[in-house]
Amino acid sequence: MDSPIVAQLFRKLFLHRPRGCQGRPLSRMSALHRLGRHDPRPYSTRASRDRGMKTNESRWQQRTHIMPEDRRSEFADYPYVSVHDLKTRTQRPRKVKMLLRDFIDDSLYNPSYGYFSKQAVIFSPGEPFDFPSMRDELEFHAQLGRRYTEFEDELDDGEGENPTRQLWHTPTELFRPYYGEAIARYLVSNYRLTTYPYDDLLIFEMGAGRGTLMLNILDYIREVDPQVYARTKFNIIEISPSLAHLQNRHLLSTAESRGHADKVDIINKSIFEWDRYVPSPCFFLAMEVFDNFAHDGIRYDVSNEEPLQGHVLIDGDGDFYEFYVHELDPVAARFFRVRHAATAGHYPKPYPSNAALRYLSTRMPFAANLSDPEFIPTRLMQFFDVLEKYFPAHRLVTSDFHSLPQAVRGLNAPVVQTRYQRRMVPVTTPLVHQGYFDILFPTDFRITEAIYRAITGKLTRVMSHGDFLRRWAYVEDTQTRSGENPLLSHYKNASVMVTV
C-alpha cells in the first residue's frame, strides 16, 4: 500500500478538476479472468470503484482486489492512438487505447503536459563542493541538504510555492566539474589513440539536462589540450524545448562559457526523429537516459509461455485500465527475436523455468493464469537502430542504473515516483496521471550489451560506475578528510558501458 501522503498529493493536484475527472491507476493485479488459450478477447485488469472505501480515503490507489464492471466492450470500440498521435495533443487523452510504451512515452515527453517537458526541475548546487575540506560523507550529505533547501527556497521566492515541484539531481551536477572532467579524459585519450589527427573530435550528447556536462568537458579540453580543443565539435540532441532553451542560456551566461559557442550545436528534437547521416567517427554520450526510455509491458500465459502485450485503455472519466492481448506489435515481436538471437535464449523470465513448477503454480488457490509483468526495453532497441543507421562510426559512452529500490512488481520493473512537499513519494503502478510522475527503469546491462552488439556489430565493455571513475577521475579531488569519497560511494547501483 502506498504512503498516505499520496492521498494528499492527488487531492491537491486535482482540487479544481471537474467531477468525474479523477482517473485512478491500477494497483498490482492479483487475479485475472480465465479466458481460453486462443480466445481473441484480451485479458484485462480493471480499476476499482472504491467499493467500501471511506470518503476521506484516496481514490487513486486500489484498496481491495474486487473486480468491477467489464470494460472489454470499450477496449473493442475505442480507437488506437500512437505516441506520434499523442505528440500533437495539448490535453491528456480520453476514450482511447494505446500500447503501454506509448502511454509511458506520452507521460514523460508530451510537449504540453509531459514530465520532462513541464514538471521536472534539475537541481544545481551552485559552487562546486569543496570535498577535501569536509570531515566525511555525513558532512557532504548535510551540505547537500542545505543547498537543496536553499535552491528550492529561491525557486519559491521567484515562482511561488509549488508543493508538486519535481526536483532531481544528476552526478554531473553533484560532482561538478570532476565528473565531467573524467568523461573528458576518457574522450580525449581515446580520440588521440584512434582517429587523431585524421578526424575532428565529434561529440553528441543526448538528454543533456542543464548542459553542465557539455561545459565541463569543453572547459577541460580547452585548458588541458588546446590542439584537440581546436578540432572539437559538441552537439546536444534534446527532446525538451524548455531544457534546450536552458542549455543555450547556460552556454551564453558567462564570458568563459560563451567562448565555446562556436563549437556547440543544440538540436531540439527527439533522437527517434533523427534523420541526418553522420559518417564521421564520433562519440555518443547517453548519461542516465536509458532509465527514462519507454518499455513495453509483457505478461506470459503460464500454461504455454506465450507472451501477451500490455495496452492501456483510458475511459471517458480518465480512468486507466490495463489489458493484455495475444498479438504482439511489430516492435515488441522484433525485440523478442533480437534478444533471443543475441543471448542464445539465455535471459531472465518472470515465471518458473521448470515446467512442473509452472504447472503447480497454476493449480494454487486463486492463482493467476498470467505471470507477473516483464518490462522489455523496446525503445532502447530502437535507439540502437538509430545509432546503427545514422551514426555508423559512433562510439557509445553510457551510464545508468542496473538496479533500483522500491520498484513496482515485475521483472525489470520501474520505479514510479513523484515529489510532494519536498518529499519523494513512490507508487505501485506506471498507470499514473500523465506528467506528474517520474517513471524510471533499471538497465540489465548483460542483455543490453548483447542487443547492442547484435544490432551495431560493435564490441563493448561494461564496468561499474566506481571502476570507471577510479580509472578516469582524479579521485583525490572528491575525497574527504576521513578517506571517504562520495564520488565513488554514490551511484553504486549504476554501471557504465562503452564501445571499444
Side-chain angles (χ1 to χ4, degrees):
M1 185 178 294
D2 296 325
S3 166
I5 200 171
V6 174
Q8 292 180 310
L9 166 62
F10 296 126
R11 282 197 293 270
K12 181 71 173 179
L13 286 179
F14 306 107
L15 184 61
H16 303 294
R17 295 182 67 198
R19 185 178 180 182
C21 293
Q22 285 119 330
R24 294 182 296 279
L26 294 170
S27 67
R28 301 170 183 169
M29 179 176 64
S30 63
L32 294 168
H33 290 298
R34 290 194 175 278
L35 302 181
R37 180 179 302 176
H38 302 293
D39 196 317
R41 295 173 294 171
Y43 293 79
S44 66
T45 64
R46 294 165 291 175
S48 167
R49 280 297 182 192
D50 303 331
R51 294 172 181 169
M53 289 176 59
K54 298 177 182 178
T55 57
N56 63 344
E57 288 187 279
S58 169
R59 294 179 57 82
W60 276 78
Q61 187 58 50
Q62 187 172 311
R63 305 295 187 186
T64 71
H65 298 303
I66 296 173
M67 286 294 194
E69 73 283 354
D70 197 335
R71 289 302 180 107
R72 283 175 293 180
S73 60
E74 286 98 325
F75 189 86
D77 295 338
Y78 286 175
Y80 263 112
V81 292
S82 70
V83 67
H84 301 291
D85 303 322
L86 294 167
K87 283 178 184 176
T88 60
R89 290 180 179 254
T90 58
Q91 300 293 326
R92 293 167 179 82
R94 297 191 179 194
K95 293 188 177 181
V96 296
K97 59 189 175 187
M98 67 193 77
L99 294 171
L100 177 63
R101 73 165 182 266
D102 289 339
F103 177 85
I104 293 173
D105 207 306
D106 184 55
S107 298
L108 295 177
Y109 301 111
N110 183 281
S112 298
Y113 50 79
Y115 179 84
F116 288 105
S117 304
K118 296 298 180 183
Q119 300 296 335
V121 178
I122 303 174
F123 166 69
S124 174
E127 290 298 314
F129 290 102
D130 183 6
F131 292 97
S133 70
M134 297 181 188
R135 182 182 63 255
D136 51 23
E137 284 202 43
L138 288 176
E139 184 174 347
F140 166 67
H141 285 292
Q143 288 195 26
L144 177 60
R146 285 196 296 271
R147 294 201 191 187
Y148 244 97
T149 299
E150 292 168 358
F151 181 85
E152 196 152 17
D153 286 345
E154 187 174 335
L155 289 177
D156 285 345
D157 291 340
E159 304 171 358
E161 291 189 13
N162 181 0
T164 61
R165 180 181 292 118
Q166 303 301 305
L167 185 63
W168 47 275
H169 61 261
T170 66
T172 298
E173 298 292 343
L174 292 188
F175 302 108
R176 177 174 63 90
Y178 314 113
Y179 184 83
E181 290 175 353
I183 305 296
R185 289 187 196 98
Y186 175 85
L187 297 176
V188 172
S189 297
N190 283 273
Y191 167 64
R192 279 195 170 274
L193 286 171
T194 53
T195 60
Y196 179 85
Y198 307 107
D199 295 285
D200 291 339
L201 175 55
L202 185 60
I203 305 169
F204 288 84
E205 183 184 7
M206 176 177 61
R210 294 168 55 91
T212 302
L213 182 61
M214 168 196 68
L215 292 175
N216 292 162
I217 289 173
L218 292 176
D219 286 344
Y220 177 85
I221 298 175
R222 179 171 59 186
E223 179 180 352
V224 173
D225 199 332
Q227 286 183 316
V228 171
Y229 181 75
R231 305 194 60 175
T232 298
K233 178 67 175 177
F234 205 109
N235 304 271
I236 287 178
I237 304 172
E238 178 56 62
I239 188 173
S240 167
S242 59
L243 287 178
H245 174 75
L246 180 63
Q247 292 153 9
N248 188 68
R249 183 156 57 87
H250 286 167
L251 176 63
L252 303 177
S253 62
T254 66
E256 185 178 35
S257 62
R258 283 195 296 272
H260 301 309
D262 63 335
K263 296 187 173 296
V264 175
D265 188 14
I266 300 173
I267 305 152
N268 183 202
K269 66 167 25 179
S270 167
I271 185 62
F272 300 105
E273 297 172 349
W274 189 266
D275 57 1
R276 177 164 63 89
Y277 188 71
V278 182
S280 302
C282 63
F283 290 91
F284 203 106
L285 307 181
M287 315 305 288
E288 294 84 45
V289 294
F290 288 179
D291 55 352
N292 287 125
F293 277 169
H295 286 49
D296 270 294
I298 302 291
R299 291 184 189 260
Y300 297 84
D301 187 325
V302 180
S303 64
N304 59 16
E305 301 183 81
E306 181 182 355
L308 292 85
Q309 189 170 6
H311 296 66
V312 179
L313 178 144
I314 308 177
D315 70 8
D317 293 328
D319 291 351
F320 304 128
Y321 296 83
E322 190 173 10
F323 284 80
Y324 287 86
V325 300
H326 287 276
E327 184 178 357
L328 301 180
D329 89 302
V331 176
R334 177 170 174 258
F335 176 86
F336 280 108
R337 294 194 301 270
V338 172
R339 181 177 67 173
H340 188 83
T343 64
H346 300 296
Y347 48 85
K349 301 178 178 67
Y351 55 86
S353 57
N354 182 279
L357 291 177
R358 288 201 305 274
Y359 175 81
L360 290 175
S361 70
T362 63
R363 295 299 181 265
M364 297 294 289
F366 307 107
N369 55 345
L370 296 185
S371 71
D372 282 343
E374 177 188 8
F375 296 88
I376 59 173
T378 39
R379 270 302 208 186
L380 180 59
M381 178 189 70
Q382 292 179 312
F383 168 62
F384 293 157
D385 289 336
V386 172
L387 292 181
E388 191 276 333
K389 181 177 181 180
Y390 293 108
F391 301 88
H394 78 274
R395 298 181 69 178
L396 180 64
V397 182
T398 184
S399 173
D400 230 305
F401 301 105
H402 56 251
S403 65
L404 290 168
Q406 296 184 308
V408 307
R409 186 174 181 176
L411 178 61
N412 201 42
V415 171
V416 185
Q417 59 190 14
T418 190
R419 198 165 174 270
Y420 180 67
Q421 292 184 345
R422 306 193 181 189
R423 291 179 58 190
M424 198 60 74
V425 183
V427 297
T428 58
T429 172
L431 300 190
V432 286
H433 193 69
Q434 303 96 314
Y436 282 95
F437 292 79
D438 192 6
I439 305 172
L440 62 158
F441 294 85
T443 299
D444 184 332
F445 276 92
R446 184 181 72 85
I447 305 300
T448 296
E449 184 179 35
I451 292 175
Y452 173 81
R453 289 180 174 188
I455 291 176
T456 66
K458 297 179 181 291
L459 298 179
T460 53
R461 181 185 176 192
V462 175
M463 67 203 84
S464 71
H465 196 259
D467 285 346
F468 178 86
L469 292 171
R470 286 184 185 92
R471 180 169 184 180
W472 296 105
Y474 292 160
V475 294
E476 60 271 17
D477 290 337
T478 56
Q479 184 170 299
T480 63
R481 297 199 308 272
S482 69
E484 295 174 312
N485 197 316
L487 178 65
L488 302 179
S489 61
H490 278 55
Y491 300 97
K492 285 185 176 180
N493 60 331
S495 296
V496 176
M497 186 176 83
V498 297
T499 306
V500 297

